[in-house]
């Protein structure tokens, strides 16, 4: 642990869903790998005794894949304490101060509903707990431009910008980090990575399940806010940005912010919103809900590099497969020497970044088939594949935040610039169109991409295409 390393982790929302599904397993993995020695203080409204919290943590780790290292679990449990209380109550923050004991540089992790971020940050500031501390904030960071600005104002009143860690777990995925690495660790890509060679970029994040038990949350968000403005925009930024001067927080966010600033603000006709059959019957969902569970959109980045290149983004619940994939399609050869070198219906040469459920990078090129005729087919060269020992995004990001490394986190101007792109269509949009469960969304989504192309539907199981 270095001098600037956080010496305690305070987890707000310790009895919540995110803590159960993601954070406790990540803390266990960190302990197992030697990345967490600091005490952990769970905070929540629920009255719970320390033994109750230890049980919650143990159950969560069991559910996420089992306990391979009992010593790591014991270590984590013995460093765990619990504070229960209302976030509006100054007494809660006084109790946290007591629980922190001699810790001087705690990290406060806000795994709580966004509506409570402001209350907790203000509580930390008033209790003088923010000095020398870090705050880790879960997405969604705001629900529109004005609320993001307000949240940034509140956070900045208590913490300096380099102590605020805005988490987008997508940035902690190996496959996403590999996009950054792949782009800037190879020189052959640069000459073709622009409007002269790239015809379009498609990104699909599809899930074959619904909103599950998150209907009430989803009603306040919808697909555009839930995954497009953050996860998919971050992927766009990594693919579209100029080379950053260094690999640190400031340089990376400067380049990402420029991409968002160059994006054309969306108009209602740039997107198709859909809603899966039966969504309105989900618990917590309004009977007449117009919230989209599917969104397909066309985006333009008005920069020297990307002028005129369409970026197609699509995501949805209850689609035909669970997979996240990026296809960067290249323009066909200028001369049509072979009849099949510019397929009318198929994809041209492309680079494919597979993000989930497995990670991979593949490069597709045409090769001649044996025989008299000059006809061929497109085959994929697999450049990288899943590797053993990948950290979970939460293990990676929590470790980075506690070590003060902000490279994989978002800066306020980048977050606000991303909100500015979607702002015009958050309230002004066409009504949702119904779609069948386990389909690829409403057929109207094809109009986003036609007549030039078509959506490439990722397969649930990846194999060289
Ligand atoms: C979350 C969204 O941020 O990302 C979820 O709230 C979505 O609705 C999830 O399912 C997708 O992330 P992953 O890592 O499961 O692909």
């Amino acid at each position: 642990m270095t001098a600037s390393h956080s010496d305690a982790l305070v987890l707000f929302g310790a009895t919540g869903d995110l803590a159960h599904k993601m954070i406790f397993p990540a803390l266990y993995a960190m302990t197992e790998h030697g990345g967490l020695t600091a005490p952990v203080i769970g905070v929540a409204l629920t009255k719970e005794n320390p033994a109750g919290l230890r049980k919650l943590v143990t159950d969560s780790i069991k559910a996420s894949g089992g306990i391979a290292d009992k010593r790591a679990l014991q270590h984590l449990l013995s460093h765990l304490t619990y504070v229960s209380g209302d976030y509006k109550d100054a007494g809660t923050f006084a109790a946290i101060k007591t629980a922190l004991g001699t810790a001087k540089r705690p990290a406060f992790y806000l795994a709580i509903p966004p509506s409570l971020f402001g209350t907790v940050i203000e509580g930390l500031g008033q209790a003088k707990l923010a000095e020398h501390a870090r705050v880790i904030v879960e997405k969604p960071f705001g629900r529109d431009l004005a609320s993001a600005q307000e949240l940034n104002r509140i956070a900045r009143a208590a913490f300096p910008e380099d102590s605020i860690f805005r988490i987008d777990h997508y940035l902690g995925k190996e496959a996403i980090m590999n996009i950054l690495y792949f782009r800037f660790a190879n020189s052959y890509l640069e000459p073709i990575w622009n409007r002269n060679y790239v015809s379009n970029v498609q990104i699909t994040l599809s899930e074959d399940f619904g909103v599950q038990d998150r209907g009430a949350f989803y009603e306040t968000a919808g697909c555009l806010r839930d995954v497009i403005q953050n996860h998919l925009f971050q992927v766009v930024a990594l693919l579209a940005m100029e080379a950053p001067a260094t690999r640190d927080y400031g340089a990376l966010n400067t380049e990402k912010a420029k991409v968002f600033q160059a994006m054309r603000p969306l108009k209602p006709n740039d997107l198709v919103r859909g809603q899966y059959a039966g969504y309105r019957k989900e618990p917590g969902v309004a009977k007449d809900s117009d919230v989209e569970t599917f969104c397909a959109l066309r985006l333009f980045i008005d920069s020297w590099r990307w002028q005129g290149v369409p970026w197609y983004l699509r995501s949805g619940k209850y689609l035909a497969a669970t997979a996240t994939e990026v296809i960067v399609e290249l323009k066909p050869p200028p001369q049509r020497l072979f009849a099949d070198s510019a397929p009318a219906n198929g994809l041209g040469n492309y680079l494919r970044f597979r993000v989930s459920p497995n990670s991979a990078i593949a490069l597709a090129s045409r090769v001649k088939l044996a025989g008299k005729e000059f006809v061929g087919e497109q085959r994929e060269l697999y450049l990288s594949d899943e590797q053993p020992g990948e950290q979970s995004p939460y293990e990676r990001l929590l470790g980075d935040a506690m070590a003060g490394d902000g490279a994989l986190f978002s800066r306020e101007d980048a977050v606000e610039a991303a909100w500015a792109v979607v702002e015009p269509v958050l309230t002004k949009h066409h009504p949702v169109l119904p779609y069948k469960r386990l389909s690829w969304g409403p057929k109207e989504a094809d109009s986003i991409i036609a007549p030039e192309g078509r959506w490439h539907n990722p397969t649930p199981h990846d194999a060289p295409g």
Side-chain angles (χ1 to χ4, degrees):
M1 198 153 86
T2 63
S4 65
H5 206 286
S6 300
D7 54 3
L9 177 70
V10 181
L11 174 63
F12 288 87
T15 55
D17 198 46
L18 185 71
H20 178 76
K21 286 193 183 136
M22 301 292 179
I23 302 171
F24 293 138
L27 295 179
Y28 164 72
M30 285 166 79
T31 311
E32 195 182 2
H33 302 143
L36 181 71
T37 47
V40 177
I41 301 160
V43 187
L45 182 61
T46 323
K47 284 254 172 296
E48 191 68 83
N49 56 34
L53 184 67
R54 285 198 288 274
K55 182 169 179 332
L56 275 184
V57 173
T58 310
D59 290 349
S60 135
I61 296 163
K62 274 188 193 152
S64 81
I67 297 158
D69 185 342
K70 288 205 175 104
R71 275 179 52 189
L73 177 70
Q74 279 318 316
H75 187 273
L76 175 63
L77 294 181
S78 65
H79 282 70
L80 203 64
T81 46
Y82 185 67
V83 169
S84 76
D86 192 324
Y87 302 149
K88 292 197 192 79
D89 182 356
T92 306
F93 294 91
I96 293 170
K97 202 169 202 167
T98 308
L100 277 169
T102 55
K104 302 245 163 352
R105 298 174 307 280
F108 297 104
Y109 187 163
L110 275 46
I112 51 178
S115 54
L116 295 172
F117 289 169
T119 312
V120 171
I121 292 174
E122 274 170 346
L124 291 172
Q126 279 157 12
K128 302 263 178 288
L129 282 167
E131 283 162 27
H132 312 297
R134 299 190 168 108
V135 66
I136 306 166
V137 191
E138 261 301 325
K139 69 144 265 257
F141 201 78
R143 62 183 318 280
D144 53 20
L145 180 58
S147 58
Q149 285 168 333
E150 173 64 2
L151 207 50
N152 279 325
R153 193 191 57 72
I154 294 171
R156 290 299 305 276
F159 293 90
E161 176 62 28
D162 62 3
S163 298
I164 304 170
F165 293 78
R166 300 174 186 83
I167 282 206
D168 182 318
H169 80 277
Y170 250 59
L171 292 175
K173 286 182 187 264
E174 273 297 335
I176 304 284
M177 292 189 274
N178 212 350
I179 295 179
L180 176 70
Y181 182 86
F182 185 75
R183 268 204 67 198
F184 298 114
N186 295 305
S187 60
Y188 73 87
L189 219 54
E190 180 56 19
I192 59 167
W193 209 250
N194 54 50
R195 61 193 301 273
N196 299 322
Y197 288 90
V198 174
S199 82
N200 70 87
V201 182
Q202 286 191 33
I203 310 177
T204 299
L205 187 176
S206 62
E207 296 174 320
D208 66 3
F209 48 86
V211 293
Q212 298 171 318
D213 50 3
R214 298 164 74 223
F217 157 75
Y218 210 81
E219 280 286 279
T220 68
C223 181
L224 186 61
R225 284 189 176 96
D226 186 37
V227 295
I228 295 188
Q229 182 272 348
N230 34 65
H231 302 334
L232 294 194
F233 271 28
Q234 288 295 330
V235 177
V236 172
L238 290 172
L239 290 163
M241 72 186 188
E242 300 303 315
T246 64
R247 206 159 47 79
D248 67 18
Y249 173 73
L252 278 164
N253 273 291
T254 296
E255 294 308 329
K256 282 192 195 172
K258 281 197 225 160
V259 173
F260 299 134
Q261 284 154 5
M263 279 182 183
R264 251 179 245 170
L266 292 169
K267 296 199 201 74
N269 285 344
D270 293 330
L271 62 156
V272 167
R273 299 163 65 248
Q275 191 183 76
Y276 65 76
Y279 171 71
R280 294 175 188 178
K281 295 203 181 97
E282 299 274 18
V285 169
K287 299 274 165 286
D288 58 349
S289 174
D290 184 49
V291 168
E292 80 283 357
T293 60
F294 170 95
C295 186
L297 61 86
R298 185 181 41 234
L299 192 71
F300 287 95
I301 301 169
D302 290 329
S303 66
W304 189 288
R305 188 186 286 271
W306 295 113
Q307 184 64 46
V309 177
W311 294 69
Y312 302 114
L313 275 48
R314 177 177 62 154
S315 181
K317 302 279 183 198
Y318 264 132
L319 295 187
T322 295
T324 299
E325 205 163 271
V326 177
I327 300 276
V328 179
E329 191 179 351
L330 302 176
K331 289 185 176 170
Q335 184 194 4
R336 224 166 152 173
L337 201 52
F338 312 108
D340 65 354
S341 63
N345 265 324
L347 282 167
N349 298 154
Y350 62 85
L351 253 164
R352 184 166 69 89
F353 297 90
R354 174 88 167 180
V355 174
S356 71
N358 61 309
S359 61
I361 302 178
L363 174 64
S365 310
R366 297 195 72 80
V367 284
K368 184 183 170 303
L369 291 171
K372 197 167 173 309
E373 303 303 324
F374 277 89
V375 290
E377 65 179 10
Q378 181 138 266
R379 295 221 187 116
E380 281 193 345
L381 174 67
Y382 243 52
L383 295 172
S384 91
D385 211 339
E386 196 92 347
Q387 292 170 43
E390 292 188 3
Q391 283 182 320
S392 79
Y394 278 95
E395 179 184 357
R396 166 73 197 227
L397 294 174
L398 261 173
D400 280 8
M402 290 186 72
D405 179 354
L408 299 179
F409 297 83
S410 301
R411 200 170 62 194
E412 62 175 334
D413 57 335
V415 170
E416 289 176 13
W419 275 120
V421 178
V422 299
E423 181 77 12
V425 294
L426 287 176
T427 47
K428 275 201 203 96
H429 46 232
H430 301 299
V432 287
L433 299 162
Y435 64 94
K436 276 201 202 133
R437 291 182 181 206
L438 305 179
S439 69
W440 282 104
K443 63 175 178 358
E444 288 81 352
D446 290 348
S447 68
I448 292 287
I449 204 162
E452 320 92 74
R454 64 180 179 89
W455 289 106
H456 169 78
N457 297 329
T459 51
H461 305 291
D462 197 32

